[in-house]
Amino acid sequence: MELRTLRYFVAVAEELHFSRAAARLGISQPPLSQQIKALEEELGGRLLVRTNRRVALTAAGELFLDEAQEVLARAERASRLVSRLGRGESGQLRIGFTTSVPLTPLLPRTLTHYRQRYPDVDLRMHELNSQRQIAPLLEGDLDIGIMRPATLPPELSAFTLIREPLVAVVNAQSELGASDTPLSLAELATQPFVYFSPAAGTGLLDQFNVLFAQRGLTPRLVQEVGGPNTIISLVASGLGVSLLPESFRHIHIDNVRYRPISDADARSEVWLTHPRHHLTPQAQHFIQIVREAIAG
């Protein structure tokens, strides 16, 4: 039994007139009559009583009408749901992001706009460092990754969301904390450093190493930790200095001062990363909103 047959029957049952039902369906009357007859033969019972003057539902026809209308309604609902999912208007969007990204205005603003346009999409946010986003993106467990620069496999694509300067994180009670003037990386390298351990998996560590290596400098690492909040807290405790993106200025801890860096290349980026060939409609919409935010 096809949905088309159910639609034919419902039209006749609601109109109680074959000509009007045929016009409503956009077909001629003879095929409609044949379809109803075939349906009754398939079911093994009369659904309609037909005379020259009127068409009426039998008891079986009334029962079948209720069921047919429910089946058609469910089919219509299913069709709408699948269509909305295919258009990216519902479903799920899974985004990985690094610790510092919520400190920048771009992501919160983009998420707000996305929620306004696609309120029925279930947003799932996963806080992961840059390296730990790569495998879920490849395996289909994340749709979008928002990360610091990292070495990406060819299956992933990325573009720059944000460029921001790096700042020196110094103890406010130290000699370096007595001024707000820019520091050079060479000056900063003379200090004991608190920074990310290799196990932290952040792209900032790679950038840190490259910046100092390009200048022939080797900072003295006295403490390697897993997260930026710990770095800032240890600087506040007087263990050393550090180097972080400017967005970390929003983290206010006593005894910490953020000083600008004079080296022009002391900058960091945030990337939006996604599978190169298998973007979901939800991810496509999100990327469009991000690009609008960058352009605007």
Side-chain angles (χ1 to χ4, degrees):
M1 187 181 302
E2 299 179 359
L3 289 178
R4 181 185 63 178
T5 305
L6 294 183
R7 292 190 183 96
Y8 286 176
F9 169 74
V10 169
V12 174
E14 290 178 347
E15 297 290 343
L16 292 178
H17 195 283
F18 273 83
S19 294
R20 288 198 299 268
R24 168 174 154 180
L25 294 166
I27 63 174
S28 61
Q29 184 174 334
L32 177 58
S33 298
Q34 292 169 5
Q35 287 289 329
I36 299 301
K37 182 179 179 181
L39 176 61
E40 289 177 324
E41 290 175 353
E42 180 179 350
L43 295 173
R46 298 289 298 276
L47 300 174
L48 298 165
V49 177
R50 296 176 282 271
T51 68
N52 290 334
R53 289 187 164 187
R54 60 191 291 269
V55 175
L57 287 166
T58 64
E62 291 177 355
L63 177 63
F64 191 74
L65 175 61
D66 290 339
E67 296 298 325
Q69 288 172 329
E70 178 63 23
V71 169
L72 291 174
R74 288 184 180 179
E76 180 62 27
R77 284 195 298 271
S79 177
R80 287 198 303 269
L81 289 172
V82 171
S83 294
R84 296 188 73 242
L85 183 65
R87 295 194 300 268
E89 297 171 1
S90 64
Q92 190 177 88
L93 178 62
R94 301 156 301 174
I95 300 175
F97 66 97
T98 61
T99 304
S100 62
V101 170
L103 300 174
T104 68
L106 180 65
L107 181 62
R109 186 168 66 244
T110 300
L111 289 174
T112 297
H113 291 168
Y114 185 84
R115 294 294 298 153
Q116 290 171 345
R117 291 193 199 178
Y118 304 101
D120 294 329
V121 174
D122 181 19
L123 269 176
R124 298 292 179 92
M125 306 296 295
H126 302 273
E127 185 175 354
L128 298 166
N129 64 44
S130 298
Q131 290 295 332
R132 289 176 185 154
Q133 292 182 40
I134 293 174
L137 285 166
L138 291 172
E139 294 164 5
D141 295 323
L142 283 179
D143 303 304
I144 295 287
I146 300 178
M147 61 174 65
R148 296 289 172 178
T151 301
L152 299 178
E155 296 88 348
L156 298 180
S157 181
F159 63 89
T160 300
L161 292 181
I162 300 165
R163 291 184 178 90
E164 59 178 333
L166 296 172
V167 295
V169 187
V170 302
N171 186 286
Q173 306 303 317
S174 68
E175 182 179 347
L176 291 180
S179 172
D180 289 323
T181 59
L183 276 170
S184 71
L185 291 174
E187 291 175 284
L188 200 61
T190 64
Q191 303 294 316
F193 249 90
V194 180
Y195 217 60
F196 297 100
S197 71
T202 173
L204 288 171
L205 178 59
D206 293 337
Q207 185 177 15
F208 173 91
N209 291 331
V210 167
L211 280 171
F212 286 104
Q214 286 174 338
R215 291 163 171 79
L217 302 171
T218 305
R220 179 166 57 93
L221 293 173
V222 297
Q223 191 73 43
E224 294 179 313
V225 300
N229 289 342
T230 305
I231 288 175
I232 297 170
S233 295
L234 293 180
V235 170
S237 300
L239 265 70
V241 300
S242 197
L243 187 69
L244 291 173
E246 187 179 42
S247 51
F248 283 99
R249 283 181 179 270
H250 295 290
I251 297 178
H252 300 288
I253 295 179
D254 291 343
N255 288 330
V256 169
R257 172 164 286 175
Y258 299 95
R259 289 185 61 175
I261 299 295
S262 58
D263 301 72
D265 60 339
R267 305 182 69 81
S268 182
E269 294 184 347
V270 174
W271 290 354
L272 187 149
T273 308
H274 59 83
R276 188 177 297 275
H277 301 298
H278 301 288
L279 268 179
T280 67
Q282 294 81 3
Q284 292 175 18
H285 292 321
F286 185 82
I287 291 172
Q288 179 184 354
I289 291 173
V290 166
R291 290 192 181 280
E292 290 172 1
I294 294 172

